[in-house]
Amino acid sequence: MKKRHGSNMPIKTAVALSVMLALGACSSNDDNDDNDADESVEQPVEQPTEQPGVGSGQSVSVSLDAAQELPVPQGVPDGATGSADVSVDENGVVTATLAVSNLSGPAVMAHIHRGFAGATGPVLIGLESADGGATWAVPADARALTADEVGAFNRGELYFNVHTDANMPGEIRGQIDAGNATSFAVRLENISTPETLNVASDGSTQAVPLSPGAFVVHREVADSPLLLPRDAANAGLEGVAEDGNAEPYPTTVSGATIFNTPVGADAPGPIGPGGAYEFTIQAVDGDKLDFVTMFVPSNDWFYTATDADNSLDLFVNGQPVSGEVLASDIAIWDAGTEADEEPGAGPNQVQRQAGPNTGDPDPDTRVSSLSARGQSVSLNGPVLRVTITPLP
Ligand SMILES: [Ca+2]
Ligand SMILES: [Ca+2]
Ligand SMILES: [Ca+2]
C-alpha cells in the first residue's frame, strides 16, 4: 500500500552519486567479502518461542486521532477521535469494538492494519458497522490472525485506521500497543571510504554506496521473510538488489517496511561514506530483525543478516540486545536476478545502466550469499555498520 517516507527516486540519486564516485582515488588490493569490523555485543543464542500476551486475551485500549494518521489527513475537525478495545485469543481470533466521533463525515470504512507507528501497511481485518459508521466491530466471519500476525499484535505493530470520504487513505488512526514491547533504534551506517572497493580492471578504487531498503521484524524460526522464496527472489528483493528501489516490498512481503531517507536528508536517496539510515522498531522476546540494502556497485547484491535464519536476534536470554552487530552476522548476498559484472564497473549496474531492471538473467537464480556461490569481492575495509539500541 503506502510507504514510510516519500517515494521513488533512489535511482536518480544513485546515479548522481556515481558521478562523485568516479573521482575515487587509487589504492592497493586485499580480498575480503566481509566487514572485518571488530566490536560487538551479545552473541545470539537459542530463542524462546512463547509470546508475551498471546492467549492471555489481554484487552488493549486504543485511542485514535488524526495526529497518528499517514499521510496527514485534510480538513479534520478538532476533536475528531476514536476509542477501541481489542484482544486476541490463543487461536488468533480477534475481538474488537471501535467507536468514532467528530469526524469530517461518516466513517465509511475501518480496518486493522499491520505497520509500526510512523509507517503504513496492509489491511489484515476489515471491520463492519451496523449504525452508519459510529461504531465498528470484527465481523463474525473474519479470519483469525496467523501466528506471525499475532507476533505483530504483541509487539505493537497493528493499528486501527478509519476512512472517510474526505480522507480515503484514513482520517484517524490508533496504534494497538499492549505495552509488552521494547523499542529499539536501528542504525545502518555507511563506513566505506573512497578506497574501499577495488576495481581491478582499471586499478581504481571506489566507495560503496548503500541504497534504500526494507526491514521486517518477525519470529519465524527458519528464514527471513524478506528473502523468501529462496529459489527465485521476490519482487521486493529484486527491486532493492538491482536498483535500490524498495517500493515493491510492502506489497510483496507481509510486515516489510521501507527505510529510504538518510539521516539529515529530507528526501529518499542512497547513503555514501558517513551516511546512515535510522528507524525505530518494537519487539518482544523471541522477535528478530532482518533488513536488506543494496551493495550499490553491483548488479544484484545486497547486505543482509547472515546467520542460520538470516535475522538478528533482538533478545538474548530474555534481555534486549544493545550495541554494534557483529560484522560476521552481516554479509553480501546475491539476489540471483541479474548476471554479475565487475563490481564498480559493470554497464548494467544501477549507476550506469540504461534503466531499472536492466541486465542479463542470472545463471544462478538462488537467493544466496556470495560465499555460498563461490564468489567474492575485493574490499579494503568494512562497508556497513549496524547498531541496535534499546530505547528507554
Ligand atoms: Ca547476480
Ligand atoms: Ca531483474
Ligand atoms: Ca541492472
Side-chain angles (χ1 to χ4, degrees), residues 70-118:
L70 289 172
V72 175
Q74 303 301 314
V76 184
D78 290 344
T81 187
S83 63
D85 286 289
V86 56
S87 63
V88 178
D89 75 9
E90 66 276 10
N91 298 315
V93 174
V94 181
T95 302
T97 57
L98 165 65
V100 303
S101 57
N102 299 318
L103 305 185
S104 63
V108 293
M109 289 187 297
H111 306 106
I112 296 173
H113 295 247
R114 179 171 179 174
F116 284 111

Side-chain angles (χ1 to χ4, degrees), residues 130-311:
D131 56 11
T135 63
W136 297 78
V138 178
D141 61 352
R143 71 172 179 86
L145 299 182
T146 66
D148 185 52
E149 291 163 350
V150 172
F153 170 78
N154 278 319
R155 72 178 71 100
E157 197 184 354
L158 305 189
Y159 64 92
F160 287 100
N161 195 27
V162 176
H163 309 261
T164 60
D165 284 336
N167 287 290
M168 282 310 292
E171 180 156 319
I172 57 171
R173 165 176 169 156
Q175 201 72 23
I176 303 171
D177 191 345
N180 297 325
T182 300
S183 294
F184 296 86
V186 180
R187 179 178 172 87
L188 277 56
E189 183 178 4
N190 189 325
I191 56 172
S192 74
T193 74
E195 288 77 43
T196 295
L197 172 65
N198 292 305
V199 183
S201 60
D202 66 3
S204 67
T205 65
Q206 300 178 2
V208 179
L210 299 169
S211 77
F215 68 86
V216 69
V217 179
H218 70 103
R219 47 193 308 119
E220 308 295 322
V221 290
D223 236 333
S224 165
L226 294 179
L227 307 188
L228 297 176
R230 290 282 294 275
D231 55 355
N234 68 62
L237 181 57
E238 180 175 15
V240 170
E242 289 189 21
D243 300 317
N245 175 18
E247 301 295 324
Y249 243 125
T251 53
T252 305
V253 174
S254 181
T257 304
I258 292 173
F259 59 84
N260 60 12
T261 302
V263 175
D266 55 11
I271 53 171
Y277 297 108
E278 289 181 349
F279 49 86
T280 302
I281 58 172
Q282 293 191 166
V284 295
D285 193 6
D287 283 348
K288 306 152 185 286
L289 170 70
D290 189 28
F291 66 90
V292 295
T293 178
M294 184 187 187
F295 184 99
V296 169
S298 75
N299 295 83
D300 61 344
W301 292 357
F302 60 97
Y303 279 98
T304 190
T306 198
D307 68 358
D309 55 14
N310 292 111
S311 302

Side-chain angles (χ1 to χ4, degrees), residues 303-322:
Y303 279 98
T304 190
T306 198
D307 68 358
D309 55 14
N310 292 111
S311 302
L312 303 172
D313 293 299
L314 292 167
F315 291 79
V316 173
N317 297 327
Q319 296 302 309
V321 300
S322 179

